[in-house]
Amino acid sequence: DIRMTQSPSSLSASVGDRVTITCRASQGIRNDLGWYQQKPGKAPKRLIYGASTLQSGVPSRFSGSGSGTEFTLTVSNLQPEDFATYYCLQHNSYPFTFGQGTKLEIK
Amino acid sequence: QVQLVESGGGVVQPGRSLRLSCAASGFTFSIYGMHWVRQAPGKGLEWVALISYDGSYEYYADSVKGRFTFSRDNSKNTLYLQMNSLRAEDTARYYCAKGGAPWADYGGFDYWGQGTLVTVSS
């Protein structure tokens, strides 16, 4: 199975800040990676697919990059509604696997 | 708009069975692979199973293989997850999710339902 190592596990930031979350895959997954945002009591929502393509309707302050084994999600100009938990997902091979999650909290 | 509505969750004793359903609307159901993903209370996300767009094959996580069966009825736009021999560690919210690309198994998932809670406890 492909292991996805996501860091950091938690992050404190202020409104207006820029933050970066990283996922590393235990083997190459091309660009078969998505990023998801989950708010308490809600279903996850896809933000990015294909490692860097913004899902329709998602604000442009979210961006993704990477290929192979290292991927990043960057959120610029943090807004109050961005404080949530973020997960990466590899969908290159079965079983699909998620990162452990990053909880983004208000400083 | 895409809608996925899960049902069938509840409290069940260890070793018993439960069947979840997911009703889909707002897209051409019969051309998308579909998934189940679960989340134990306070924990991260775990992929559970895929069913192909035509129901001809499935993939399962090792943790559920041999106990869970994923099926679909394309005439009713509905998914089913038959869960047998349930264990305490199966306690989670179960989400159905739509595959991200038509006729493909590897497009990730783009839309999720709100989930249904399964609690396995004596």
Side-chain angles (χ1 to χ4, degrees):
Chain A
D1 298 1
I2 296 174
R3 186 173 62 254
M4 301 301 295
T5 303
Q6 186 173 338
S7 60
S9 56
S10 64
L11 184 53
S12 291
S14 301
V15 172
D17 283 355
R18 179 174 183 265
V19 297
T20 297
I21 299 168
T22 298
C23 260
R24 288 187 174 85
S26 59
Q27 63 191 72
I29 59 168
R30 303 182 305 183
N31 66 339
D32 297 330
L33 184 113
W35 289 99
Y36 295 81
Q37 176 193 66
Q38 187 178 32
K39 296 182 179 178
K42 299 292 187 183
K45 170 188 168 184
R46 190 166 75 172
L47 303 174
I48 301 281
Y49 63 94
S52 59
T53 304
L54 199 64
Q55 180 77 22
S56 175
V58 173
S60 59
R61 61 181 181 272
F62 291 92
S63 63
S65 65
S67 182
T69 61
E70 187 145 341
F71 303 86
T72 59
L73 172 70
T74 298
V75 189
S76 303
N77 187 23
L78 273 170
Q79 297 300 297
E81 60 268 28
D82 300 336
F83 293 93
T85 301
Y86 294 83
Y87 294 93
C88 62
L89 165 74
Q90 71 80 16
H91 51 89
N92 176 266
S93 66
Y94 284 94
F96 289 176
T97 44
F98 291 89
Q100 306 95 312
T102 296
K103 187 172 184 179
L104 178 55
E105 298 174 305
I106 300 176
K107 189 183 289 183
Chain B
Q1 70 282 16
V2 173
Q3 260 202 310
L4 299 166
V5 180
E6 302 92 339
S7 61
V11 180
V12 61
Q13 292 179 328
R16 303 298 292 265
S17 299
L18 204 61
R19 189 176 85 154
L20 307 183
S21 300
C22 173
S25 61
F27 64 102
T28 306
F29 180 73
S30 61
I31 66 172
Y32 285 91
M34 298 293 294
H35 300 259
W36 288 97
V37 178
R38 68 185 181 182
Q39 186 170 36
K43 301 296 185 184
L45 299 166
E46 178 188 16
W47 173 82
V48 173
L50 155 89
I51 190 165
S52 62
Y53 68 96
D54 60 357
S56 60
Y57 59 89
E58 310 99 60
Y59 299 146
Y60 297 94
D62 285 347
S63 56
V64 307
K65 201 174 294 182
R67 300 187 299 122
F68 289 13
T69 302
F70 195 176
S71 60
R72 67 189 295 163
D73 185 338
N74 282 351
S75 68
K76 296 181 178 178
N77 286 8
T78 302
L79 304 171
Y80 305 98
L81 186 68
Q82 177 67 40
M83 304 187 295
N84 298 332
S85 303
L86 281 162
R87 306 167 179 166
E89 53 266 36
D90 296 318
T91 294
R93 179 165 292 274
Y94 285 74
Y95 296 99
C96 64
K98 171 183 167 289
W103 303 290
D105 300 333
Y106 292 88
F109 0 101
D110 52 4
Y111 292 95
W112 303 55
Q114 287 304 303
T116 187
L117 183 62
V118 173
T119 303
V120 183
S121 173
S122 53

